[in-house]
């Protein structure tokens, strides 16, 4: 059965983005970009907001995300309409949890979210997430942060299974998640 990984970038205080800051908080570097280029082939899952952002980037800077353009992509949206302009992209208007459950049962490749905070949260709550990867950027966005990653999450116990440092400053933390019904007993 293909594994599902939630893959998120966050500031130290848990924001996925911040007003006025450049992409990746201006801290992407050669080690991190090389790592992104080495990713195994997978099906990328995303919501409409992420699709609009990334497909726009594909038009404006195609070389920056060429590898992603060639990969299989599934977009979950009730607002987007066919045909989608980004190559290798399928639109699914059905329930994302049930669709991903089907992809995990019958799909040929690993699955990975790209941003898509609401989608990632719903897949975690449904118990479909096998790995939870964060790349933490060393910045606190107290005044300008938006898209708080963990708002609305249940309690989740995380077992660290891998970690790396990129460019001497970015921290990759790779976990196996366990959604909890209640806090653990001491």
């Amino acid at each position: 059965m293909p594994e599902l990984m939630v893959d998120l970038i966050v500031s130290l205080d848990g924001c996925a983005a911040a007003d006025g800051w450049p992409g990746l908080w201006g801290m992407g570097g050669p080690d991190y970009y090389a790592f992104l280029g080495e990713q195994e082939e997978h099906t990328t899952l995303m919501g409409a907001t992420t699709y609009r952002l990334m497909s726009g980037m594909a038009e404006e800077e195609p070389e920056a995300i060429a590898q992603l353009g060639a990969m299989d992509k599934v977009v979950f949206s009730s607002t987007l309409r066919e045909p989608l302009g980004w190559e290798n992209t399928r639109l699914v208007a059905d329930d994302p949890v049930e669709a991903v459950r089907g992809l995990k049962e019958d799909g040929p490749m690993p699955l990975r979210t790209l941003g898509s905070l609401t989608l990632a949260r719903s897949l975690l709550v449904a118990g479909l997430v096998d790995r939870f990867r964060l790349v933490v950027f060393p910045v606190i966005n107290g005044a300008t942060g938006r898209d708080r990653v963990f708002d609305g999450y249940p309690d989740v116990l995380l077992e660290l299974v891998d970690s790396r440092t990129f460019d001497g400053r970015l921290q990759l933390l790779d976990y196996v998640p366990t959604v909890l019904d209640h806090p653990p007993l001491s």
Side-chain angles (χ1 to χ4, degrees):
M1 179 178 293
E3 248 193 6
L4 169 60
M5 177 185 290
V6 164
D7 198 351
L8 300 169
I9 62 169
V10 299
S11 63
L12 187 61
D13 58 341
C15 295
D19 293 329
W21 289 74
L24 301 177
W25 290 273
M27 295 182 193
D31 291 347
Y32 184 58
Y33 291 132
F35 167 77
L36 292 176
E38 297 165 359
Q39 298 301 297
E40 69 180 340
E41 189 174 354
H42 60 273
T43 298
T44 300
L45 310 175
M46 65 186 95
T49 301
T50 300
Y51 171 79
R52 287 181 186 104
L53 175 71
M54 298 306 291
S55 64
M57 188 181 297
E59 287 179 17
E60 295 170 15
E61 305 173 54
E63 67 286 344
I65 57 172
Q67 180 185 13
L68 184 57
M71 286 187 178
D72 183 39
K73 295 172 287 300
V74 177
V75 178
F76 298 97
S77 175
S78 60
T79 59
L80 293 173
R81 299 289 174 249
E82 294 279 8
L84 295 178
W86 199 7
E87 64 182 327
N88 303 313
T89 305
R90 294 177 283 149
L91 178 63
V92 175
D94 299 330
D95 175 30
V97 168
E98 290 308 312
V100 171
R101 188 172 278 121
L103 288 170
K104 283 190 71 161
E105 290 172 4
D106 302 326
M109 288 189 292
L111 306 167
R112 188 175 297 172
T113 64
L114 176 62
S116 306
L117 302 180
T118 301
L119 175 64
R121 182 175 46 248
S122 66
L123 297 174
L124 183 73
V125 168
L128 296 174
V129 177
D130 302 294
R131 298 287 283 268
F132 194 84
R133 177 181 288 169
L134 299 174
V135 176
V136 181
F137 287 73
V139 61
I140 294 172
N141 293 128
T144 59
R146 59 181 170 81
D147 302 330
R148 296 192 49 79
V149 172
F150 307 112
D151 288 352
Y153 265 62
D155 288 348
V156 181
L157 184 65
L158 300 169
E159 176 189 348
L160 185 66
V161 293
D162 193 16
S163 64
R164 285 179 69 177
T165 301
F166 300 109
D167 303 301
R169 61 182 179 245
L170 309 180
Q171 295 293 310
L172 178 141
L173 303 168
D174 195 348
Y175 298 102
V176 172
T178 301
V179 177
L180 303 174
D181 293 330
H182 51 78
L185 301 174
S186 54

